Amino acid sequence: AQATRRLHCGGSKTFIDVGLRSSFNASTIMTSEGRLIFFRGPEGDSLLNTWLDDQRRRCAPVSDTGFPLHQDPRLVLHAGQMYVSSCGDFLAPDFRTGIGLRPIYFQGRELDFGRGWRWDTIHDWLDYPRPRVEKNWIPFSDPTGFYYVYSIQPHRILKIDTATGRVSLAHDTTAPSLPWQVVEGTDLRGSAQPVRLGDGSYLSTFH
């Protein structure tokens, strides 16, 4: 939360500390090499990364991952392995987006990306209502596995087999009602990753 407040200004998705004023949608995580940050580039068509110092200012060159899925990066540490999740790549003819997940390997501050996965459909989900846009999945690590918060209402949780890339529906809960107004034609979607609380539950955000 502290990092988020300092990186974002005026409640917008744009941050200025890395010296790229039009960059946005950042995800940052502390590693043994320092604080790593991934974000969308100034034109919105690239997924970039760099390192931040103790004052959360850029202290290394900016690198382009070259990922075709270049939106909404999220960094997750699971079972000792770092992953980056992202979405994008609007595909013709229906211009649907996809979600991707790739492992990150560190050589000091140099990053190598392992073989990843991309999902446009969900396995083992009967009557899966395929939406137009697959984005804003919220990845998180739990002792029982790697998961995504797929949707807010109904509250659907996906479980990922990180060895095979297989996705299955783990939980599906419908709340009686939500007190927020939703603009017609839009959905409530995910935001930052869930934080595990002392009682074992998770606190998350959405928009």
Side-chain angles (χ1 to χ4, degrees), residues 67-134:
F67 290 2
L69 303 176
H70 52 257
Q71 300 182 26
D72 302 333
R74 298 292 181 265
L75 293 166
V76 184
L77 180 64
H78 173 68
Q81 176 63 59
M82 189 76 71
Y83 294 89
V84 57
S85 173
S86 59
C87 70
D89 193 7
F90 290 80
L91 300 175
D94 54 358
F95 296 99
R96 297 180 64 254
T97 59
I99 296 290
L101 182 70
R102 296 184 71 170
I104 303 174
Y105 302 102
F106 295 86
Q107 302 291 332
R109 286 194 167 185
E110 295 295 321
L111 307 184
D112 292 325
F113 301 98
R115 174 185 176 275
W117 301 274
R118 177 203 170 108
W119 303 290
D120 298 298
T121 60
I122 310 302
H123 303 291
D124 301 332
W125 187 344
L126 296 177
D127 302 320
Y128 169 52
R130 294 184 64 183
R132 176 182 173 85
V133 175
E134 294 286 10

